[in-house]
Structures are given as C-alpha cells and as structure tokens.
Amino acid sequence: ENKSLKQEIRRRDRTGHDRPVGNSKAWLDVLRMAETVAPTESTVLIQGESGTGKEVIARFMHELSSRVDGPFQSINCGALPEGLLESELFGHVRGSFTGAVKDKTGLFSAAENGTFFLDEIGETTPATQVKLLRVLQHREVIPVGATDPIPVNTRLIAATNRDLEDDIKTGRFRSDLYYRLNVIAIHLPTLRQRREDIPVLAEHFLQRTGVARGEPPKRLQPEALEALV
C-alpha cells in the first residue's frame, strides 16, 4: 500500500509541468500508456524514428516507477563496436583482453535497483543478443573473461528505430530475444504525425532557453511558426 501510494503521488506530481511536452491525441495516448506501464516491472520496447523522444519516455517511466530512487543508466548500442559494447554492458575482469588493467562493473550491475535503457538495440550483433537473452531469462550477467554469473536486479527498457520483425525474417535479430523484449510495446509518433504539437514544443524550448539565460523568453513570429509547422 505504501509503494502504491508513493507511485500515485509521483504520477500526480508528474502530470504537471514535468510531463513530456505535447497535447496531440497521439502523444497523450503514448503518455497514458507510459503512466500505466511505469509502476510495473514489465520489460518495455519503445519503437519510433530517431528523434521521436524514446529516451524521454524511458526516463518518464523510470521517474514514475518504484525504482525512481535507483539509478537510470543508458547506452546507445549502435555507438560502440561489439567488444567494447559487451564490456560496457556486462563488465570485464582484469586481464580478459588487452587494456583490461582492472575489473570493470558493467552497466547492468551499475543500474542495480534502477532502470537500464538500451537504445538502438536493433544494432547489436547476434553474439551480443545471445548474452542479452541470458540476462532477461536468468537475471544474471557474466562479465567478459569471467566464469561466475552475477545476479542483477534491473528493469530493462529497450528502444529501436528499426523494424525488428523485418530483421527477424532476414536473420539480423533473434526472435526469442524480440519476444522477451516486446512484453509491452510503445510506438512513438513522429512530428509529422503530431504537427499540432510543434507550436507547443517551440514555446517550451524558447521558455527553457530564456530561463537558462536569465532573460524573458523570445517569441516566434507567426511566419516563423508557420514555416516550422
């Protein structure tokens, strides 16, 4: 009951100014789904084009969850080569490869009791996908070069701008990992699909910039706003 009440208080607090910006039906549907899923422990797969706000929604869910007092860790799987990505995800032991001069804790362990956001999970290699599957199945990681597993208590939120079902058909992505990740699916609309939010977003960014500079927010001319939309 205590946890439920705390989550409800956080949810009501977040329905104010800190809620991700947007008034369109498509965006409000996403927020409602995020608010419903946030208090659960379910793994979530966020799908949408680059720039649609996948990490914004992931952080929003973390802040509404019972894990809000734990860390929020994130990584872009497409930004690192395979060897380095595995070290970042799972950690490594000293001497496991050239340059491994000391033990390193992986991000799964660093996100203990919190949330781990795996962005662009569709860019991972089959070898990394096997190891991610093990984490989801057994809730444990084996650092690079180690033999003993380490238990992890982390909520996983993954995101992709790829069509993973197409990648499964071509053999780029494992179907068993996909079904483990896709417990709850959230599809983010593009700005093209929520044009009515563009003026709201523009005003929000101008307001934020004004606060940062300690000056009144600038206003967009109607012609400029029309050009943006």
Side-chain angles (χ1 to χ4, degrees), residues 109 113 177 189:
S109 297
N113 298 319
L177 177 59

Side-chain angles (χ1 to χ4, degrees), residues 4-225:
S4 297
L5 285 168
K6 283 183 175 179
Q7 285 170 8
E8 180 62 17
I9 289 165
R10 276 197 294 270
R11 189 186 70 77
R12 291 185 184 186
D13 285 347
R14 287 308 304 266
T15 52
H17 64 283
D18 280 339
R19 213 172 181 220
V21 178
N23 296 325
S24 65
K25 182 184 181 304
W27 188 244
L28 292 177
D29 286 345
V30 166
L31 295 186
R32 274 193 290 271
M33 170 69 96
E35 287 167 350
T36 303
V37 173
T40 72
E41 288 290 300
S42 296
T43 303
V44 179
L45 180 63
I46 304 173
Q47 294 171 295
E49 291 183 21
S50 293
T52 48
K54 296 187 285 293
E55 185 162 354
V56 170
I57 293 297
R59 286 184 181 274
F60 181 58
M61 286 194 288
H62 170 70
E63 288 168 19
L64 290 177
S65 75
S66 59
R67 294 176 174 268
V68 65
D69 295 326
F72 179 92
Q73 298 283 354
S74 66
I75 192 170
N76 186 324
C77 298
L80 299 170
E82 182 182 2
L84 190 53
L85 177 63
E86 290 192 4
S87 172
E88 288 293 316
L89 290 174
F90 312 117
H92 64 249
V93 296
R94 185 167 64 92
S96 56
F97 54 85
T98 304
V101 293
K102 61 180 181 180
D103 291 356
K104 173 184 167 62
T105 301
L107 288 173
F108 270 107
S109 297
E112 186 74 9
N113 298 319
T115 305
F116 190 18
F117 177 58
L118 277 171
D119 200 4
E120 304 307 349
I121 196 162
E123 304 301 325
T124 52
T125 64
T128 303
Q129 289 168 28
V130 171
K131 295 182 179 181
L132 288 172
L133 183 62
R134 179 185 176 86
V135 176
L136 286 167
Q137 286 176 330
H138 303 293
R139 294 291 166 182
E140 60 186 27
V141 298
I142 300 177
V144 178
T147 54
D148 296 328
I150 299 170
V152 291
N153 176 16
T154 304
R155 194 225 187 132
L156 189 66
I157 299 177
T160 182
N161 60 5
R162 302 178 64 92
D163 186 327
L164 293 186
E165 291 189 6
D166 281 351
D167 285 349
I168 289 169
K169 291 172 187 171
T170 59
R172 274 185 53 94
F173 202 82
R174 293 181 63 98
S175 59
D176 47 5
L177 177 59
Y178 174 71
Y179 293 119
R180 285 274 179 177
L181 291 170
N182 196 30
V183 177
I184 303 287
I186 297 180
H187 297 266
L188 299 195
T190 64
L191 271 183
R192 298 187 303 279
Q193 297 164 318
R194 47 185 282 235
R195 288 179 192 272
E196 60 267 46
D197 283 339
I198 292 173
V200 184
L201 285 162
E203 185 180 339
H204 170 74
F205 293 134
L206 288 171
Q207 187 83 29
R208 197 166 72 179
T209 304
V211 170
R213 292 181 174 178
E215 60 189 35
K218 290 181 167 55
R219 309 285 300 178
L220 280 174
Q221 293 289 337
E223 296 83 3
L225 199 54

